[in-house]
Amino acid sequence: MDFTGKIIAVLPEKTGTSTKGEWKSQQYVAETVEQYPKRLLFDVFGAERIAQFSIQEGETVTVSFDTNAHEHEGKWFASNRAWGIRRE
């Protein structure tokens, strides 16, 4: 899926350790420029991708992402994981 919008928030990085080692993730909020703007919260996973995409507040980007939902201990969670960023 693709979404084009202006980055309105860059949230703090999250880090942790799993059985596969250390990980890093960062979330962003993009908003469309329309009469009735829509917002998308998405994340970039991995230190290399975070550095590669180098997303900054105020820039307009097209986000290519996969959306997913999963269940854990009776609770449901959803994510929008970016795999591509194109600057407009």
Side-chain angles (χ1 to χ4, degrees), residues 8-75:
I8 61 169
V10 176
L11 304 179
E13 289 183 353
K14 296 179 184 178
T15 59
T17 304
S18 70
T19 57
K20 296 180 182 180
E22 293 184 19
W23 57 267
K24 186 181 281 190
S25 177
Q26 189 160 16
Q27 292 182 315
Y28 306 85
V29 180
E31 182 177 72
T32 60
V33 181
E34 307 175 317
Q35 181 178 358
Y36 301 105
K38 295 175 183 68
R39 292 181 176 170
L40 173 71
L41 172 68
F42 67 95
D43 67 270
V44 174
F45 190 82
E48 290 178 10
R49 279 213 170 138
I50 293 169
Q52 174 190 359
F53 295 157
S54 187
I55 300 168
Q56 304 296 315
E57 191 170 321
E59 66 183 334
T60 300
V61 297
T62 295
V63 181
S64 297
F65 67 97
D66 292 323
T67 188
N68 189 32
H70 66 277
E71 182 267 338
H72 179 71
E73 296 180 357
K75 294 182 181 180

